[in-house]
Amino acid sequence: DTAVSQTPKYLVTQMGNDKSIKCEQNLGHDTMYWYKQDSKKFLKIMFSYNNKELIINETVPNRFSPKSPDKAHLNLHINSLELGDSAVYFCASSHWAYEQYFGPGTRLTVT
Amino acid sequence: AQTVTQSQPEMSVQEAETVTLSCTYDTSESDYYLFWYKQPPSRQMILVIRQEAYKQQNATENRFSVNFQKAAKSFSLKISDSQLGDAAMYFCAYRSPRGETSGSRLTFGEGTQLTVNP
């Protein structure tokens, strides 16, 4: 009965590789998000989708590409991984104006 | 752009005592939402409490309550009867109202690491 799930929870990869993180929510929400938490624990929005439409696209490298196949899924694909991409990535969902519920996070380590 | 500031990087409290975590924010909007999230070592982000700016009454959830001072742009979290399980990083967050071009993003503060001593 997990509300917001992410896979994988841990990801270790080498520089230059391409990787994806998947997110699924079973709350019936219409809005999903990706946040990045850096090594100092600072959280910042990356992307947001509402009903499969991109509504927030922060200043992130275009190596990061979100994809929303349907309202319940929002995946994050990262090309040509760099050391600085190491962080915890959180998926979240909400019913537009209401509180956001977060997934367990994916710790990405680029070596 | 909105900013959120948590001026206390670390706080500690004795078990069963009360502690207050501070948060200030900057906005030109009159209607917005404020939240406190808790992140324990498991790293799961857990919603603690929410406050709508148009409500004058301070929100309360069991041992957690807020002191919302709209004019001062202050939103502090009070934890009463602190328990060992309250130990976590606490984040204050701001969200614009529905329909704003900024969308429904959360703008977070830097976080306050709370230690609960037995």
Side-chain angles (χ1 to χ4, degrees):
Chain A
D1 60 346
T2 303
V4 183
S5 60
Q6 292 179 230
T7 52
K9 290 187 179 177
Y10 297 92
L11 185 54
V12 181
T13 189
Q14 292 184 328
M15 285 175 56
N17 285 347
D18 302 339
K19 290 293 179 184
S20 292
I21 306 172
K22 295 185 177 182
C23 177
E24 177 181 3
Q25 55 94 3
N26 62 5
L27 297 167
H29 289 162
D30 54 11
T31 307
M32 297 184 73
Y33 315 80
W34 279 109
Y35 288 88
K36 179 181 179 179
Q37 185 173 42
D38 63 22
S39 58
K40 296 184 178 179
K41 298 288 188 80
F42 188 68
L43 279 149
K44 188 173 180 184
I45 185 78
M46 298 175 70
F47 302 103
S48 176
Y49 273 76
N50 176 255
N51 285 320
K52 301 197 315 177
E53 180 184 351
L54 181 65
I55 56 171
I56 296 174
N57 185 356
E58 283 296 282
T59 308
V60 300
N62 56 16
R63 298 181 294 103
F64 290 78
S65 55
K67 285 186 171 53
S68 181
D70 55 56
K71 287 199 307 182
H73 296 84
L74 180 62
N75 303 323
L76 182 65
H77 188 76
I78 316 171
N79 289 326
S80 303
L81 279 155
E82 301 177 356
L83 292 175
D85 297 332
S86 295
V88 178
Y89 293 85
F90 284 97
C91 177
S93 73
S94 72
H95 178 60
W96 188 228
Y98 299 99
E99 50 263 31
Q100 296 179 19
Y101 293 87
F102 284 76
T106 296
R107 180 177 293 281
L108 171 65
T109 303
V110 183
T111 62
Chain B
Q2 294 81 21
T3 59
V4 178
T5 302
Q6 293 177 248
S7 59
Q8 306 153 317
E10 298 177 344
M11 291 281 285
S12 63
V13 63
Q14 290 296 125
E15 199 174 1
E17 298 292 308
T18 296
V19 65
T20 299
L21 307 184
S22 301
C23 173
T24 59
Y25 56 94
D26 187 26
T27 184
S28 58
E29 297 170 326
S30 60
D31 189 20
Y32 47 86
Y33 300 86
L34 296 165
F35 304 87
W36 280 98
Y37 279 87
K38 166 185 176 180
Q39 187 178 39
S42 66
R43 84 166 177 251
Q44 177 71 53
M45 293 288 289
I46 302 166
L47 178 64
V48 175
I49 200 165
R50 136 193 177 140
Q51 175 80 43
E52 291 92 340
Y54 65 86
K55 289 186 177 179
Q56 293 187 344
Q57 186 173 6
N58 289 324
T60 299
E61 287 288 340
N62 300 315
R63 298 182 295 106
F64 298 86
S65 61
V66 299
N67 183 3
F68 174 48
Q69 301 291 327
K70 190 174 184 179
K73 297 180 182 174
S74 170
F75 182 60
S76 60
L77 175 70
K78 185 171 83 171
I79 307 174
S80 304
D81 185 25
S82 296
Q83 300 175 359
L84 294 177
D86 295 333
M89 179 75 89
Y90 286 81
F91 291 97
C92 178
Y94 172 102
R95 203 198 71 221
S96 295
R98 176 178 179 170
E100 293 292 324
T101 54
S102 59
S104 53
R105 75 183 69 198
L106 289 174
T107 300
F108 286 92
E110 305 92 331
T112 296
Q113 182 67 51
L114 178 65
T115 301
V116 181
N117 300 310

